[in-house]
Amino acid sequence: MKLRLWPKSLIGQLVFAVAMMLFVAQAINFVLLSRGQKQQVLAHGGGMAVARLIDAIERDRRGDFRRPRNERERHEARERAEKLVISDQPPPMPVGAVRLPDLAAYVEGLLGETNIPAAMVDAWALPPRERQRLRRPAFPDRAVIVVAKVGGRYFAVRTRIAAGGNRLQGFLVWQTLSLYLLLLVPIMLIAYRAARPLRDLTRAARANPALRDAEPLEEEGPSDVRDLIAAFNAYRGRISGMLSDKDRMLGAVGHDLRTPLASLRVRVEQVEDNVLRDKMIASIEEMTAMLSDILALARSGAGTEARERIPLRELIGELAADYQERGKDVEIGDIADAAVLARPMLLKRALRNLADNAIAYGSRARLSVVTDGTQARIIVSDDGPGLTDEQIRTLIEPFARGEQSRNRATGGAGLGLSIARDIAEGEGGALTLANRAGGGLDAAIALPVQA
């Protein structure tokens, strides 16, 4: 399974991008602050140590550290021994002391700048029990011993360095959380304000354009989004106008063509040759039926019939009874107890087209209904030879026929499946064709279940 980190939605992409950039910025800020703090610690602790070392070296050269002669000098020597040790051997370090090479290098550099050559400089951080007695909890620090070998003698002085690494990390954590709160919340609100009308626009664009009773979308959101919604409303209005013009034109064409066909039928019935008369009447009836199919295809989804809650068990029963009364081989299979919201006349026409195809090409039709909780599938099955994949892809297109003759009893006009598909899509569903494993074809109309 491929892990997808980049979100798909506009809000998710904005929030993710800002969060990542803010994280990178805070990481850079942490590195820079850590380096600055380290330099500050070295400058404070190293500078104090160098000052004490220089003072100790100069006083040792002058002989100020002579043997104490009275009680006051002995007291001063004891206090000085806590901060300064001068010996000919390296002073011992307590157990648990940690070497600080960065501080040692910094002190050695400062001594070199003051023309005091040191043969060796070392620095040690004392363990907690060896720290000085003076503690300042608000500013935690660490006791450090710096040892320098100058002129064959070892000078060891005490100093302090700040120990605020945890304080810096805590500060950056709270700073990052505050920035996330101050930046991401307004960005999420702005993105939501822009994304909500876009989602409404997407739903409206996916709706069937033949449904001309849809209300115009409310123009809201940023100016760019409002302009887009206004353009979409105008575009949908133009489509609605063109569809209305098409319906008026088709109504006129249907009326103008049916009238001469009816007149021609009356005149043909006066032909004395029975064989010729029957052929001419069959041709006129085929032209009339083809005209009805073409008008039905052009008008599918554009009728004025209102949607109703249709119990499928009753619908299938009425449809099968109508075929059986006419002597057609139509059976009823398993019918799930479900209802859909659709226009009854259009849905019946779509199912009749599928049943007619099943009877014509597959000997008989069997009607059944199955549900999966959200969709109901009305299946029309036949016992025919089935279809190839290429035929399944092309037969739902207008004027496509599985049988190539123009005989309406066999080939037809090739509009039945196209009409059924357009009706199914106009009701919010879909038409699918699939071969059964045991032979035959299943033509199914899937519609959302109506509670």
Side-chain angles (χ1 to χ4, degrees):
M1 181 178 178
K2 186 177 180 181
L3 181 62
R4 184 183 181 90
L5 295 179
W6 185 252
K8 294 182 180 180
S9 65
L10 174 62
I11 297 178
Q13 290 183 4
L14 284 176
V15 172
F16 184 80
V18 173
M20 289 302 298
M21 292 302 100
L22 186 58
F23 178 80
V24 172
Q26 285 298 93
I28 296 174
N29 187 31
F30 177 76
V31 173
L32 295 178
L33 286 178
S34 297
R35 293 182 60 182
Q37 185 188 46
K38 182 178 179 181
Q39 292 298 322
Q40 183 180 6
V41 168
L42 293 177
H44 180 268
M48 185 183 300
V50 169
R52 291 179 177 177
L53 285 172
I54 294 175
D55 179 68
I57 293 171
E58 291 180 351
R59 294 179 63 182
D60 182 65
R61 289 175 179 174
R62 293 197 303 265
D64 292 346
F65 301 126
R66 61 181 182 272
R67 184 180 296 275
R69 292 172 296 181
N70 52 45
E71 185 61 28
R72 184 178 64 82
E73 291 181 354
R74 284 194 293 272
H75 179 70
E76 293 176 354
R78 284 194 300 269
E79 291 182 347
R80 185 172 60 249
E82 294 181 358
K83 299 180 180 180
L84 172 64
V85 175
I86 303 175
S87 64
D88 296 332
Q89 299 295 329
M93 292 294 119
V95 178
V98 179
R99 189 184 297 272
L100 302 176
D102 292 339
L103 181 59
Y106 184 82
V107 171
E108 185 176 5
L110 289 181
L111 290 176
E113 293 177 1
T114 57
N115 296 323
I116 298 179
M120 181 276 294
V121 177
D122 208 351
W124 299 80
L126 299 181
R129 64 177 180 274
E130 297 292 338
R131 294 181 185 177
Q132 69 273 25
R133 292 188 299 272
L134 180 60
R135 307 301 302 274
R136 293 179 292 174
F139 301 94
D141 53 14
R142 301 178 66 184
V144 175
I145 293 180
V146 178
V147 181
K149 184 180 181 181
V150 179
R153 292 170 64 81
Y154 290 90
F155 297 85
V157 296
R158 285 202 179 202
T159 184
R160 295 191 307 272
I161 60 173
N166 293 333
R167 292 171 56 85
L168 175 63
Q169 295 174 4
F171 167 75
L172 287 176
V173 169
W174 282 109
Q175 184 188 59
T176 303
L177 293 177
S178 301
L179 290 175
Y180 273 130
L181 184 65
L182 293 175
L183 291 179
L184 294 184
V185 171
I187 288 176
M188 291 177 65
L189 294 176
I190 295 173
Y192 177 78
R193 184 170 177 265
R196 185 167 58 85
L198 288 178
R199 288 194 294 269
D200 296 338
L201 180 61
T202 301
R203 286 192 293 269
R206 289 174 176 171
N208 186 2
L211 302 178
R212 277 156 263 171
D213 56 350
E215 294 292 333
L217 293 178
E218 182 180 356
E219 299 177 12
E220 56 181 350
S223 60
D224 297 338
V225 178
R226 291 199 301 269
D227 293 341
L228 177 62
I229 295 176
F232 174 80
N233 287 333
Y235 177 71
R236 188 163 62 174
R238 290 194 296 270
I239 292 178
S240 178
M242 289 188 291
L243 291 175
S244 298
D245 294 340
K246 181 203 69 171
D247 289 343
R248 287 193 293 268
M249 180 191 68
L250 290 174
V253 169
H255 179 270
D256 293 344
L257 288 180
R258 284 195 178 97
T259 299
L261 285 175
S263 177
L264 183 61
R265 170 69 181 269
V266 172
R267 294 175 183 175
V268 165
E269 289 178 349
Q270 300 176 4
V271 175
E272 296 180 358
D273 189 335
N274 294 336
V275 176
L276 178 60
R277 183 177 63 249
D278 292 341
K279 289 183 179 180
M280 295 174 68
I281 290 176
S283 297
I284 293 174
E285 289 178 348
E286 183 178 353
M287 292 174 62
T288 303
M290 187 181 301
L291 177 62
S292 299
D293 282 350
I294 293 174
L295 293 178
L297 175 65
R299 290 176 173 174
S300 60
T304 57
E305 184 183 11
R307 283 187 169 86
E308 300 178 8
R309 185 179 183 274
I310 305 175
L312 294 180
R313 188 182 300 275
E314 297 179 7
L315 177 68
I316 298 301
E318 294 175 1
L319 190 63
D322 180 58
Y323 276 101
Q324 292 168 358
E325 289 176 359
R326 291 182 286 150
K328 302 292 185 180
D329 191 359
V330 176
E331 299 178 357
I332 298 178
D334 295 332
I335 305 294
D337 190 10
V340 296
L341 186 66
R343 287 170 282 192
M345 296 302 297
L346 285 178
L347 183 56
K348 285 182 179 179
R349 182 178 184 87
L351 294 176
R352 284 195 182 100
N353 288 350
L354 299 181
D356 290 341
N357 283 345
I359 295 171
Y361 301 109
S363 302
R364 67 186 181 93
R366 184 171 59 257
L367 307 178
S368 58
V369 177
V370 297
T371 63
D372 61 1
T374 59
Q375 279 193 331
R377 298 179 69 244
I378 310 170
I379 304 173
V380 181
S381 306
D382 63 40
D383 294 334
L387 299 173
T388 65
D389 293 339
E390 180 65 24
Q391 287 176 321
I392 289 177
R393 285 194 296 269
T394 58
L395 279 181
I396 60 174
E397 298 301 325
F399 303 102
R401 301 179 309 280
E403 200 272 337
Q404 296 299 319
S405 73
R406 287 287 180 180
N407 186 350
R408 188 165 183 82
T410 56
L415 296 175
L417 290 177
S418 298
I419 294 172
R421 178 197 62 180
D422 290 351
I423 291 175
E425 292 178 352
E427 301 304 317
L431 170 66
T432 58
L433 303 178
N435 293 312
R436 289 199 310 278
L441 183 73
D442 286 345
I445 294 180
L447 296 173
V449 172
Q450 178 70 16

